């Protein structure tokens, strides 16, 4: 069955958004890294690996650095950082993070309020002294946008 005019219009609008993003990326310099505000008793374990973030021209939020965990424990549901205004995703996101936790995966949930919530595989707590944000990234635009 042939596509309807509305379907074709949506596809064309999506293509135009992609072209606009690519044109903007070609013109704009790569943005600088920005400090990621930590919460609670989280800390910077190594001054050479400050927790940072940036939004690149392709609507992707990138993270770098390490976050030190209080009392050497990763607690499921703990809020470890807050995203500044302008760096919040349009839809909730989950990103995997590296750590020194043994045999348990850790993730960060990013919500619309800008909270980074630590998630421990199977819940509870696990011994871990730091989280590595290096290589973690997520989309900033909504799921309905192609």
């Amino acid at each position: 069955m042939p596509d309807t005019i509305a379907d074709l219009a949506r596809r064309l609008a999506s293509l135009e958004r992609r072209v606009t993003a690519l044109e903007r990326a070609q013109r704009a310099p790569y943005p600088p890294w920005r400090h990621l505000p930590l919460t609670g008793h989280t800390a910077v374990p190594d001054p050479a690996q400050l927790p940072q973030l940036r939004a690149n021209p392709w609507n992707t939020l990138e993270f770098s650095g390490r976050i030190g965990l209080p009392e050497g424990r990763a607690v499921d549901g703990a809020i470890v950082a807050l995203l500044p205004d302008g760096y919040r995703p349009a839809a909730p996101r989950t990103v995997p993070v590296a750590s020194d936790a043994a045999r348990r995966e850790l993730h960060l949930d990013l919500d619309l309020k800008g909270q980074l919530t630590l998630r421990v595989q199977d819940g509870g707590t696990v011994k871990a002294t730091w989280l590595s944000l290096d290589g973690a990234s997520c989309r900033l635009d909504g799921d309905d946008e192609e």
Side-chain angles (χ1 to χ4, degrees):
M1 177 177 214
D3 292 326
T4 65
I5 292 175
D7 290 337
L8 292 173
R10 278 193 294 276
R11 288 182 182 174
L12 181 60
S14 173
L15 181 60
E16 287 176 356
R17 283 193 302 270
R18 290 179 184 173
V19 168
T20 301
L22 287 172
E23 288 173 345
R24 185 175 61 233
Q26 289 177 340
R27 291 189 307 261
Y30 226 76
W33 289 101
R34 179 178 172 158
H35 172 72
L36 177 64
L38 302 179
T39 61
H41 297 289
T42 55
V44 177
D46 182 357
Q49 296 179 322
L50 297 173
Q52 298 176 320
L53 76 157
R54 69 178 171 192
N56 71 27
W58 296 277
N59 288 326
T60 301
L61 186 60
E62 300 175 315
F63 296 94
S64 178
R66 283 191 178 183
I67 297 175
L69 299 174
E71 300 176 13
R73 303 291 301 171
V75 179
D76 188 60
I79 299 170
V80 296
L82 298 173
L83 295 172
D85 289 335
Y87 292 86
R88 297 176 182 170
R93 303 283 181 216
T94 299
V95 296
V97 292
S99 75
D100 59 347
R103 301 181 300 273
R104 305 260 309 264
E105 291 184 19
L106 301 180
H107 294 85
L108 288 177
D109 284 345
L110 288 70
D111 67 18
L112 302 179
K113 298 177 195 172
Q115 296 178 339
L116 273 73
T117 305
L118 181 60
R119 293 295 174 199
V120 177
Q121 179 185 5
D122 300 326
T125 68
V126 65
K127 182 179 178 183
T129 57
W130 52 264
L131 302 174
S132 175
L133 303 176
D134 290 333
S137 66
C138 68
R139 291 176 33 204
L140 281 171
D141 54 0
D143 287 331
D144 58 342
E145 298 178 32
E146 292 182 8

